[in-house]
Coordinates of all heavy atoms in Angstrom, one line a residue:
Q105 N 20.5 -7.6 0.2 CA 21.3 -7.6 -1.0 C 21.2 -6.3 -1.7 O 22.1 -5.8 -2.4 CB 20.9 -8.7 -2.0 CG 21.2 -10.1 -1.4 CD 20.1 -10.6 -0.5 OE1 19.3 -9.9 0.1 NE2 20.1 -12.0 -0.3
T106 N 20.1 -5.6 -1.5 CA 19.8 -4.3 -2.2 C 19.6 -3.1 -1.3 O 19.3 -2.0 -1.7 CB 18.6 -4.4 -3.1 OG1 17.4 -4.7 -2.4 CG2 18.8 -5.4 -4.2
D107 N 19.8 -3.4 0.0 CA 19.5 -2.3 1.0 C 18.1 -1.7 0.8 O 18.0 -0.5 0.9 CB 20.6 -1.3 0.9 CG 21.9 -1.7 1.6 OD1 21.8 -2.5 2.6 OD2 23.0 -1.2 1.2
S108 N 17.1 -2.5 0.6 CA 15.8 -2.0 0.4 C 15.0 -2.4 1.6 O 15.2 -3.5 2.2 CB 15.2 -2.6 -0.8 OG 15.9 -2.2 -2.0
Y109 N 14.0 -1.6 1.9 CA 13.1 -1.8 3.1 C 11.7 -1.8 2.7 O 11.2 -0.8 2.0 CB 13.4 -0.8 4.2 CG 14.8 -0.8 4.7 CD1 15.8 -0.1 4.1 CD2 15.1 -1.4 5.9 CE1 17.1 -0.1 4.6 CE2 16.4 -1.3 6.4 CZ 17.4 -0.7 5.8 OH 18.6 -0.7 6.3
F110 N 10.9 -2.7 3.3 CA 9.5 -2.7 2.9 C 8.7 -3.0 4.2 O 9.1 -3.6 5.2 CB 9.2 -3.8 1.9 CG 9.9 -3.7 0.6 CD1 11.2 -4.3 0.4 CD2 9.5 -2.8 -0.4 CE1 11.8 -4.2 -0.8 CE2 10.2 -2.6 -1.5 CZ 11.4 -3.3 -1.7
Y111 N 7.4 -2.7 4.1 CA 6.4 -3.0 5.2 C 5.3 -3.9 4.6 O 4.3 -3.5 4.0 CB 5.7 -1.7 5.7 CG 6.5 -0.9 6.5 CD1 7.2 0.3 6.0 CD2 6.7 -1.1 7.9 CE1 7.9 1.1 6.8 CE2 7.4 -0.2 8.8 CZ 8.1 0.8 8.2 OH 8.8 1.7 9.0
P112 N 5.6 -5.3 4.6 CA 4.6 -6.2 4.1 C 3.3 -6.1 5.0 O 3.4 -5.7 6.1 CB 5.2 -7.6 4.3 CG 6.6 -7.3 4.6 CD 6.7 -6.0 5.1
D113 N 2.2 -6.4 4.3 CA 1.0 -6.4 5.1 C 1.0 -7.5 6.2 O 0.6 -7.2 7.3 CB -0.3 -6.7 4.2 CG -0.6 -5.5 3.3 OD1 -0.6 -4.4 3.8 OD2 -0.9 -5.7 2.1
I114 N 1.6 -8.6 5.9 CA 1.7 -9.6 6.9 C 3.1 -10.3 6.7 O 3.4 -10.6 5.6 CB 0.6 -10.7 6.9 CG1 -0.7 -10.1 7.1 CG2 0.9 -11.9 7.9 CD1 -1.9 -11.0 6.8
V115 N 3.9 -10.5 7.7 CA 5.1 -11.3 7.6 C 5.2 -12.3 8.7 O 4.7 -12.1 9.8 CB 6.3 -10.3 7.7 CG1 6.4 -9.6 9.0 CG2 7.6 -11.0 7.4
I116 N 5.7 -13.5 8.4 CA 5.8 -14.6 9.3 C 7.3 -15.0 9.3 O 7.9 -15.2 8.3 CB 4.9 -15.8 9.0 CG1 3.5 -15.3 9.1 CG2 5.2 -16.9 9.9 CD1 2.4 -16.2 8.5
F117 N 7.9 -15.1 10.5 CA 9.2 -15.7 10.6 C 9.2 -16.9 11.6 O 8.4 -17.0 12.4 CB 10.2 -14.6 11.2 CG 9.8 -14.1 12.5 CD1 10.4 -14.6 13.6 CD2 9.0 -13.0 12.7 CE1 10.1 -14.2 14.9 CE2 8.7 -12.5 13.9 CZ 9.2 -13.1 15.1
C118 N 10.1 -17.8 11.3 CA 10.2 -18.9 12.2 C 11.6 -19.0 12.9 O 12.6 -18.7 12.4 CB 10.0 -20.2 11.3 SG 8.4 -20.3 10.5
G119 N 11.5 -19.5 14.1 CA 12.7 -19.5 14.9 C 12.9 -18.1 15.5 O 11.9 -17.3 15.6
E120 N 14.1 -17.8 15.9 CA 14.5 -16.5 16.4 C 14.4 -15.4 15.3 O 15.0 -15.7 14.3 CB 15.8 -16.5 17.1 CG 15.9 -17.3 18.4 CD 15.1 -16.7 19.5 OE1 15.1 -15.5 19.7 OE2 14.4 -17.5 20.2
P121 N 13.8 -14.3 15.6 CA 13.9 -13.2 14.6 C 15.3 -12.7 14.6 O 15.9 -12.5 15.5 CB 12.9 -12.2 15.2 CG 12.9 -12.4 16.7 CD 13.1 -13.9 16.8
I122 N 15.7 -12.4 13.3 CA 17.0 -11.7 13.1 C 16.7 -10.4 12.7 O 16.0 -10.0 11.8 CB 17.8 -12.5 12.0 CG1 18.1 -13.9 12.4 CG2 19.2 -11.7 11.8 CD1 18.7 -14.8 11.4
S123 N 17.3 -9.4 13.6 CA 17.0 -8.0 13.4 C 18.2 -7.3 12.8 O 19.4 -7.8 13.0 CB 16.7 -7.3 14.7 OG 16.4 -5.9 14.6
E124 N 18.1 -6.3 12.1 CA 19.1 -5.5 11.5 C 20.1 -5.0 12.6 O 21.3 -4.8 12.3 CB 18.7 -4.3 10.6 CG 19.8 -3.6 9.9 CD 19.2 -2.5 9.0 OE1 18.2 -1.9 9.3 OE2 19.9 -2.3 8.0
D125 N 19.5 -4.5 13.7 CA 20.3 -3.9 14.8 C 19.6 -4.1 16.1 O 18.6 -4.8 16.2 CB 20.6 -2.4 14.5 CG 19.4 -1.6 14.2 OD1 18.3 -1.9 14.8 OD2 19.4 -0.6 13.5
N126 N 20.0 -3.4 17.1 CA 19.5 -3.6 18.5 C 18.2 -2.8 18.7 O 17.6 -2.9 19.8 CB 20.5 -3.1 19.5 CG 21.6 -4.1 19.6 OD1 21.6 -5.3 19.3 ND2 22.8 -3.5 20.0
N127 N 17.7 -2.2 17.6 CA 16.4 -1.6 17.8 C 15.2 -2.6 17.6 O 14.1 -2.3 17.9 CB 16.2 -0.4 16.8 CG 17.0 0.8 17.3 OD1 16.7 1.3 18.3 ND2 17.9 1.2 16.5
F128 N 15.5 -3.7 17.0 CA 14.6 -4.8 16.8 C 13.4 -4.3 16.1 O 12.2 -4.7 16.4 CB 14.2 -5.5 18.1 CG 15.5 -6.1 18.7 CD1 16.1 -5.6 19.8 CD2 16.0 -7.3 18.2 CE1 17.2 -6.1 20.4 CE2 17.1 -7.9 18.8 CZ 17.7 -7.2 19.9
D129 N 13.5 -3.5 15.0 CA 12.3 -3.0 14.3 C 12.5 -3.3 12.8 O 11.6 -2.9 12.0 CB 12.2 -1.5 14.5 CG 13.3 -0.7 14.1 OD1 14.3 -1.2 13.6 OD2 13.2 0.5 14.2
T130 N 13.5 -4.1 12.4 CA 13.7 -4.4 11.0 C 14.1 -5.9 10.9 O 15.2 -6.3 11.4 CB 14.8 -3.6 10.4 OG1 14.5 -2.2 10.5 CG2 14.9 -3.9 8.9
L131 N 13.2 -6.7 10.3 CA 13.4 -8.1 10.3 C 14.2 -8.5 9.1 O 13.9 -8.0 8.0 CB 12.0 -8.9 10.2 CG 12.0 -10.3 10.2 CD1 12.4 -10.9 11.5 CD2 10.6 -10.8 9.9
L132 N 15.1 -9.4 9.2 CA 16.0 -9.9 8.1 C 15.6 -11.3 7.6 O 16.1 -11.7 6.6 CB 17.5 -9.9 8.6 CG 18.0 -8.6 9.0 CD1 19.5 -8.7 9.3 CD2 17.9 -7.5 7.8
N133 N 14.8 -12.1 8.5 CA 14.6 -13.5 8.1 C 13.1 -13.9 8.0 O 12.7 -14.8 8.6 CB 15.3 -14.4 9.2 CG 14.8 -14.2 10.6 OD1 14.4 -13.1 11.0 ND2 14.8 -15.3 11.2
P134 N 12.4 -13.3 7.1 CA 11.0 -13.7 6.9 C 10.9 -15.1 6.3 O 11.8 -15.4 5.4 CB 10.4 -12.6 6.1 CG 11.6 -12.0 5.3 CD 12.7 -12.2 6.2
T135 N 9.9 -15.8 6.6 CA 9.7 -17.1 6.0 C 8.6 -17.0 4.9 O 8.6 -17.5 3.9 CB 9.2 -18.2 7.0 OG1 10.4 -18.3 8.0 CG2 9.0 -19.6 6.4
L136 N 7.5 -16.2 5.3 CA 6.3 -16.0 4.5 C 6.0 -14.5 4.5 O 6.0 -14.0 5.6 CB 5.2 -16.8 5.0 CG 3.8 -16.5 4.4 CD1 3.7 -16.9 2.9 CD2 2.7 -17.4 5.2
I137 N 5.7 -14.0 3.3 CA 5.3 -12.6 3.2 C 4.0 -12.6 2.5 O 3.8 -13.3 1.4 CB 6.3 -11.7 2.5 CG1 7.6 -11.5 3.3 CG2 5.7 -10.4 2.1 CD1 8.7 -10.7 2.7
I138 N 3.0 -11.8 3.0 CA 1.7 -11.7 2.4 C 1.4 -10.3 2.1 O 1.6 -9.4 3.0 CB 0.6 -12.2 3.3 CG1 0.8 -13.7 3.6 CG2 -0.8 -12.1 2.7 CD1 -0.1 -14.4 4.7
E139 N 1.0 -9.9 0.9 CA 0.6 -8.6 0.5 C -0.9 -8.7 0.1 O -1.3 -9.5 -0.7 CB 1.4 -8.1 -0.7 CG 2.9 -7.8 -0.4 CD 3.2 -6.6 0.6 OE1 2.3 -5.9 0.9 OE2 4.4 -6.4 0.8
V140 N -1.7 -7.7 0.5 CA -3.1 -7.6 0.1 C -3.1 -6.5 -1.0 O -2.6 -5.4 -0.7 CB -4.0 -7.2 1.2 CG1 -5.4 -7.0 0.8 CG2 -4.0 -8.3 2.4
L141 N -3.5 -6.9 -2.2 CA -3.4 -6.1 -3.3 C -4.4 -4.9 -3.3 O -5.5 -5.1 -3.1 CB -3.6 -6.8 -4.6 CG -2.5 -8.0 -4.8 CD1 -3.0 -8.8 -6.0 CD2 -1.2 -7.5 -4.9
S142 N -3.9 -3.7 -3.5 CA -4.6 -2.5 -3.7 C -4.5 -2.1 -5.1 O -3.5 -2.4 -5.8 CB -4.1 -1.3 -2.8 OG -4.2 -1.7 -1.4
P143 N -5.6 -1.4 -5.7 CA -5.4 -1.0 -7.1 C -4.2 -0.2 -7.4 O -3.6 -0.3 -8.4 CB -6.7 -0.1 -7.3 CG -7.7 -0.7 -6.3 CD -6.8 -1.1 -5.1
S144 N -3.8 0.6 -6.4 CA -2.5 1.5 -6.6 C -1.3 0.7 -6.5 O -0.2 1.2 -6.9 CB -2.6 2.6 -5.7 OG -2.6 2.2 -4.3
T145 N -1.2 -0.4 -5.9 CA 0.0 -1.1 -5.6 C 0.1 -2.5 -6.2 O 1.1 -3.2 -6.1 CB 0.3 -1.3 -4.1 OG1 -0.7 -2.2 -3.6 CG2 0.2 0.0 -3.4
E146 N -1.0 -2.9 -6.9 CA -1.0 -4.4 -7.4 C 0.2 -4.6 -8.3 O 0.9 -5.6 -8.2 CB -2.3 -4.6 -8.1 CG -2.5 -5.9 -8.7 CD -3.8 -6.3 -9.1 OE1 -4.8 -5.5 -9.0 OE2 -4.0 -7.4 -9.8
T147 N 0.5 -3.8 -9.3 CA 1.6 -4.0 -10.3 C 2.9 -4.0 -9.6 O 3.7 -4.9 -9.8 CB 1.5 -2.9 -11.3 OG1 0.2 -3.0 -12.0 CG2 2.6 -3.1 -12.3
Y148 N 3.1 -3.1 -8.6 CA 4.3 -3.0 -7.8 C 4.5 -4.3 -6.9 O 5.6 -4.9 -6.9 CB 4.3 -1.7 -7.0 CG 5.5 -1.5 -6.1 CD1 6.7 -1.4 -6.6 CD2 5.3 -1.4 -4.7 CE1 7.8 -1.0 -5.8 CE2 6.4 -1.1 -3.9 CZ 7.6 -1.0 -4.4 OH 8.7 -0.7 -3.7
D149 N 3.4 -4.7 -6.2 CA 3.5 -5.9 -5.4 C 3.8 -7.2 -6.2 O 4.5 -8.0 -5.7 CB 2.3 -6.1 -4.5 CG 2.0 -5.0 -3.5 OD1 3.0 -4.3 -3.1 OD2 0.9 -4.9 -3.0
R150 N 3.2 -7.3 -7.4 CA 3.4 -8.5 -8.1 C 4.7 -8.4 -8.9 O 5.3 -9.5 -9.2 CB 2.2 -8.5 -9.1 CG 2.2 -9.8 -9.9 CD 1.0 -9.9 -10.8 NE -0.2 -10.4 -10.1 CZ -1.3 -9.7 -9.8 NH1 -1.4 -8.5 -10.3 NH2 -2.3 -10.2 -9.2
G151 N 5.3 -7.2 -9.2 CA 6.5 -7.1 -10.0 C 7.7 -6.7 -9.2 O 8.4 -7.6 -8.6
R152 N 8.1 -5.4 -9.2 CA 9.2 -4.9 -8.5 C 9.4 -5.4 -7.1 O 10.5 -5.9 -6.7 CB 9.3 -3.4 -8.6 CG 10.6 -2.9 -8.1 CD 11.7 -3.2 -8.9 NE 12.9 -2.7 -8.3 CZ 14.1 -3.0 -8.8 NH1 14.3 -3.8 -9.8 NH2 15.2 -2.5 -8.1
K153 N 8.4 -5.3 -6.3 CA 8.5 -5.7 -4.9 C 8.8 -7.2 -4.8 O 9.6 -7.7 -4.0 CB 7.3 -5.3 -4.1 CG 7.5 -5.5 -2.6 CD 6.2 -5.2 -1.8 CE 6.1 -3.8 -1.4 NZ 5.1 -3.5 -0.5
F154 N 8.1 -8.0 -5.5 CA 8.4 -9.5 -5.5 C 9.8 -9.8 -6.0 O 10.4 -10.7 -5.4 CB 7.3 -10.2 -6.4 CG 7.4 -11.8 -6.3 CD1 7.9 -12.4 -5.1 CD2 7.0 -12.5 -7.3 CE1 7.9 -13.7 -5.0 CE2 7.0 -13.9 -7.2 CZ 7.5 -14.5 -6.2
E155 N 10.3 -9.1 -7.0 CA 11.7 -9.3 -7.3 C 12.6 -9.0 -6.2 O 13.7 -9.7 -6.0 CB 12.0 -8.4 -8.6 CG 11.4 -9.0 -9.9 CD 11.7 -10.4 -10.2 OE1 12.8 -10.8 -10.2 OE2 10.7 -11.1 -10.6
E156 N 12.3 -8.0 -5.5 CA 13.2 -7.7 -4.3 C 13.1 -8.8 -3.3 O 14.0 -9.3 -2.7 CB 12.8 -6.3 -3.7 CG 13.1 -5.1 -4.6 CD 14.6 -4.9 -4.6 OE1 15.3 -5.0 -3.6 OE2 15.1 -4.6 -5.8
Y157 N 11.9 -9.2 -2.9 CA 11.6 -10.2 -1.9 C 12.3 -11.5 -2.3 O 12.8 -12.2 -1.4 CB 10.1 -10.4 -1.8 CG 9.3 -9.4 -1.0 CD1 8.0 -9.3 -1.2 CD2 10.0 -8.6 0.0 CE1 7.2 -8.4 -0.4 CE2 9.2 -7.6 0.7 CZ 7.9 -7.6 0.4 OH 7.1 -6.6 1.2
K158 N 12.3 -11.9 -3.5 CA 13.0 -13.1 -4.0 C 14.5 -13.2 -3.6 O 14.9 -14.4 -3.5 CB 12.8 -13.3 -5.5 CG 11.5 -13.6 -6.1 CD 11.6 -13.7 -7.5 CE 10.2 -13.9 -8.2 NZ 10.4 -13.9 -9.7
Q159 N 15.1 -12.1 -3.3 CA 16.5 -12.1 -2.9 C 16.7 -12.4 -1.4 O 17.8 -12.7 -1.0 CB 17.1 -10.8 -3.3 CG 17.1 -10.5 -4.8 CD 17.7 -9.2 -5.1 OE1 18.8 -9.0 -4.8 NE2 16.8 -8.3 -5.8
I160 N 15.6 -12.5 -0.7 CA 15.7 -12.8 0.8 C 15.9 -14.4 0.9 O 15.0 -15.1 0.6 CB 14.5 -12.4 1.6 CG1 14.3 -10.8 1.4 CG2 14.6 -12.7 3.0 CD1 13.1 -10.4 2.0
E161 N 17.0 -14.7 1.4 CA 17.4 -16.2 1.5 C 16.4 -17.1 2.4 O 16.0 -18.2 1.9 CB 18.7 -16.4 2.1 CG 19.7 -17.2 1.2 CD 21.1 -17.3 1.9 OE1 21.3 -18.2 2.6 OE2 21.9 -16.5 1.5
S162 N 15.8 -16.5 3.4 CA 15.0 -17.3 4.2 C 13.5 -17.4 3.7 O 12.8 -18.2 4.1 CB 14.9 -16.6 5.6 OG 14.4 -15.2 5.5
L163 N 13.2 -16.5 2.7 CA 11.8 -16.4 2.2 C 11.4 -17.7 1.4 O 12.1 -18.0 0.5 CB 11.6 -15.2 1.3 CG 10.1 -15.0 0.9 CD1 9.2 -14.6 2.1 CD2 10.1 -13.9 -0.1
Q164 N 10.4 -18.4 1.8 CA 10.0 -19.6 1.2 C 8.6 -19.5 0.4 O 8.4 -20.3 -0.5 CB 9.9 -20.8 2.2 CG 11.3 -21.1 2.8 CD 11.1 -22.1 4.0 OE1 10.4 -23.1 3.8 NE2 12.0 -21.9 4.9
E165 N 7.8 -18.6 0.9 CA 6.4 -18.4 0.3 C 6.1 -17.0 0.2 O 6.4 -16.2 1.1 CB 5.4 -19.2 1.0 CG 5.6 -20.8 0.9 CD 4.6 -21.6 1.7 OE1 4.7 -21.7 3.0 OE2 3.6 -22.0 1.1
Y166 N 5.3 -16.7 -0.8 CA 4.7 -15.3 -1.0 C 3.4 -15.4 -1.4 O 3.0 -16.2 -2.4 CB 5.6 -14.6 -2.1 CG 5.3 -13.1 -2.3 CD1 5.2 -12.1 -1.4 CD2 5.1 -12.7 -3.7 CE1 5.0 -10.9 -1.6 CE2 4.8 -11.3 -4.0 CZ 4.8 -10.4 -2.9 OH 4.6 -9.1 -3.2
L167 N 2.5 -14.6 -0.8 CA 1.0 -14.7 -1.0 C 0.5 -13.3 -1.5 O 0.8 -12.3 -0.8 CB 0.3 -15.2 0.2 CG -0.8 -16.2 0.1 CD1 -0.3 -17.4 -0.5 CD2 -1.3 -16.5 1.5

Side-chain angles (χ1 to χ4, degrees):
Q105 295 83 340
T106 61
D107 283 330
S108 299
Y109 297 84
F110 302 99
Y111 287 96
D113 288 316
I114 301 168
V115 62
I116 296 164
F117 61 91
C118 298
E120 289 296 317
I122 300 172
S123 182
E124 180 177 38
D125 57 28
N126 290 333
N127 285 300
F128 299 103
D129 59 0
T130 304
L131 183 68
L132 300 179
N133 63 323
T135 302
L136 166 66
I137 290 177
I138 301 173
E139 296 285 4
V140 178
L141 300 175
S142 300
S144 63
T145 66
E146 183 171 350
T147 301
Y148 180 61
D149 288 342
R150 191 177 271 118
R152 182 66 185 171
K153 190 182 268 191
F154 187 27
E155 289 304 313
E156 291 290 319
Y157 285 156
K158 284 179 185 178
Q159 297 180 60
I160 302 173
E161 236 178 84
S162 62
L163 188 66
Q164 296 177 38
E165 293 180 278
Y166 184 51
L167 223 58

